[in-house]
Amino acid sequence: MKVCRTPADLDALSLRREGRPLVLVPTMGALHQGHLSLVDLGREFGPVVVSIFVNPKQFGEGEDFESYPRDLERDLSLIEPLGVDAVFAPDVALMYGARGEVTVLPGNRGQGLCGGDRPGHFAGVLTVVAKLFGAVRPDIAVFGRKDAQQCLVIAQMVEDLKMGIRLIDGPTVREPDGLAMSSRNRYLDPAERERALCLSGALAAGRDLLVSGERQSAEVAAAMLGKLAAADQVEYAEVRRVPDLAVEEQLSGRVLLAVAARVGPARLIDNFVVDVSETGVTDAVLLDEIAEHRGSPGMV
Ligand code: AMP
């Protein structure tokens, strides 16, 4: 598994073999089982490039860019056994060194939720993802459904800018007790780790209410908020329509239940995607492309 620092290093590997699609799995490193599951998913389609780049432009003022865990050797040892074809680990100067910096701005899908209290966050995400797409030129890119708004904002960019890259959203990998895996979970001490369970608990409460027949968005959001009392600071507890993330009073069709909260030093997010119909509530996919691509409904 070659570690490439530049697009030219990647090109030299000639990874497009036998007409199979080239797959990119973008990460910021500090890899865990969630990331590895995306690599496994990508490997079903073709040769895989994992990018590892802690993107300064998506961190806000006072966020954890400086302290974000970086351990390339450990990350490499985790993905090497999975049969990853190459790692793309550029430095900041290569990604952002040029004069006349271009920035990609999100549309409506970037409003509120993780775009609300973090101005510039999605512009930072889209700009780096566009650069990674340009450097790697993948046919397919795999993202985690855990960052649902990010998936939808990127999908809009790919569509609007005619990038011609197929996006796949992988299901959220959780600890046995339900906590969504995150590189930031390592910031939690044991008591905070326990309290962090309130995020998945809040989503379960929201879904339970939907299952019991409630269709008022505000009621479902209030039930989620009520369960977040164990967090130190709630950023949001919201229900939005998929895929446009519009706010609706009455819920029907595909919806995103989404929460973000601070627990101790960590800012944590989590979500469920469900389909709400007259007959009931079922888990749903985020991006239609996955169902289309795999010939079956995606996993939640
Ligand atoms: P990050 O390194 O946190 O930027 O994440 C890189 C990719 O991994 C993103 O597409 C995330 O959505 C995805 N990801 C993060 N946590 C999980 C998880 N628990 N399960 C599945 N994918 C995840």
Side-chain angles (χ1 to χ4, degrees), residues 26-29 31-32 34-35 37-38 58 68 142-147 150 170-174 180-183:
T27 81
M28 296 204 298
L31 302 181
H32 51 66
H35 299 111
S37 73
L38 302 184
Q58 71 187 73
Y68 198 83
V142 185
F143 292 90
R145 199 173 302 153
K146 167 160 180 291
D147 296 276
Q150 170 172 286
T172 300
V173 176
R174 298 176 179 282
M181 289 191 185
S182 163
S183 304

Side-chain angles (χ1 to χ4, degrees), residues 47-186:
V48 170
V49 176
V50 173
S51 64
I52 298 180
F53 180 66
V54 184
N55 173 32
K57 300 275 186 193
Q58 71 187 73
F59 288 80
E61 194 88 5
E63 288 188 25
D64 55 344
F65 172 67
E66 298 297 341
S67 57
Y68 198 83
R70 292 164 173 86
D71 188 346
L72 185 61
E73 290 310 315
R74 178 185 167 278
D75 289 342
L76 297 179
S77 72
L78 286 174
I79 50 178
E80 173 109 57
L82 303 186
V84 168
D85 296 81
V87 170
F88 180 51
D91 63 20
V92 173
L94 184 122
M95 295 299 270
Y96 288 108
R99 290 197 297 150
E101 191 68 53
V102 167
T103 300
V104 185
L105 299 177
N108 288 340
R109 293 182 186 183
Q111 303 298 314
L113 303 177
C114 286
D117 286 349
R118 305 171 88 198
H121 170 67
F122 283 117
V125 168
L126 289 185
T127 301
V128 82
V129 169
K131 285 170 184 270
L132 291 169
F133 285 175
V136 179
R137 281 176 281 115
D139 302 291
I140 294 175
V142 185
F143 292 90
R145 199 173 302 153
K146 167 160 180 291
D147 296 276
Q149 186 181 18
Q150 170 172 286
C151 285
L152 293 168
V153 166
I154 292 169
Q156 187 84 67
M157 172 181 76
V158 167
E159 190 183 323
D160 283 8
L161 300 187
K162 320 294 178 215
M163 289 176 154
I165 294 169
R166 180 154 267 174
L167 301 182
I168 295 175
D169 59 322
T172 300
V173 176
R174 298 176 179 282
E175 302 287 356
D177 60 7
L179 180 69
M181 289 191 185
S182 163
S183 304
R184 293 187 167 102
N185 289 351
R186 65 180 70 187

Side-chain angles (χ1 to χ4, degrees), residues 232-253:
D232 293 308
Q233 193 191 332
V234 178
E235 286 199 3
Y236 61 77
E238 287 199 45
V239 188
R240 298 283 191 102
R241 188 168 71 189
V242 174
D244 62 3
L245 295 179
V247 178
E248 281 189 312
E249 273 181 33
Q250 281 284 120
L251 300 171
S252 67

Side-chain angles (χ1 to χ4, degrees), residues 210-223:
L210 283 169
V211 169
S212 73
E214 180 61 59
R215 294 292 181 265
Q216 294 280 343
S217 180
E219 293 296 326
V220 177

